[in-house]
């Protein structure tokens, strides 16, 4: 478990944004990523008949589509215990293997921090 209070303020911000996206949209997961310039990208789970994306992969796609060159950090708010390998791979593709991914519960408490790679 990671103490959410011990997080850098910018890391706490992306956890809060991810939690807000989950709650606002009523989706299973909310995610946020921060790029190399400090810009943030927030997304929820996409679950359409023809398109299914996790919140984290959607946030990474939004960053790429907006011109981000790298990621500093990522956060996902979920009831799951961890992060799917495909989600970590998407973060690693843009941010590198050492990019931290914060996994928080629906209450916003960070339960786990893993590297993308």
């Amino acid at each position: 478990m990671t103490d959410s209070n011990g997080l850098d303020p910018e890391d706490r911000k992306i956890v809060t944004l991810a939690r807000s996206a989950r709650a606002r949209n009523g989706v299973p997961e909310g995610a946020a990523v921060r790029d190399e310039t400090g810009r943030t990208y927030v997304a929820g789970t996409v679950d359409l008949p023809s398109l299914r994306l996790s919140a984290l992969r959607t946030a990474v796609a939004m960053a790429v589509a907006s011109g981000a060159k790298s990621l500093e950090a990522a956060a996902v708010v979920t009831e799951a215990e961890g992060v799917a390998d495909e989600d970590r791979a998407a973060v690693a593709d843009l941010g590198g293997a050492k990019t931290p991914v914060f996994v928080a519960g629906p209450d916003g408490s960070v339960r786990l921090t893993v590297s993308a790679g």
Side-chain angles (χ1 to χ4, degrees):
M1 181 170 296
T2 301
D3 178 11
S4 297
N5 293 323
L7 291 179
D8 173 275
E10 291 300 311
D11 294 339
R12 276 198 312 269
K13 176 182 172 183
I14 62 172
V15 171
T16 300
L17 289 170
R19 183 176 182 220
S20 296
R22 181 181 183 271
R24 180 179 57 250
N25 297 319
V27 292
E29 294 181 343
V33 298
R34 184 177 63 249
D35 74 9
E36 75 283 359
T37 68
R39 291 180 298 178
T40 55
Y41 307 89
V42 182
T45 307
V46 175
D47 190 7
L48 300 172
S50 64
L51 179 63
R52 296 180 195 278
L53 290 171
S54 71
L56 193 50
R57 282 182 272 167
T58 304
V60 170
M62 291 173 64
V64 170
S66 296
K69 303 295 183 211
S70 183
L71 294 179
E72 292 182 345
V76 62
V77 173
T78 180
E79 290 186 17
E81 294 299 316
V83 182
D85 290 342
E86 297 88 358
D87 290 352
R88 290 179 39 238
V91 172
D93 284 346
L94 189 57
K98 294 184 180 181
T99 305
V101 179
F102 305 105
V103 182
D107 66 353
S109 296
V110 176
R111 299 186 304 235
L112 178 68
T113 302
V114 296
S115 64

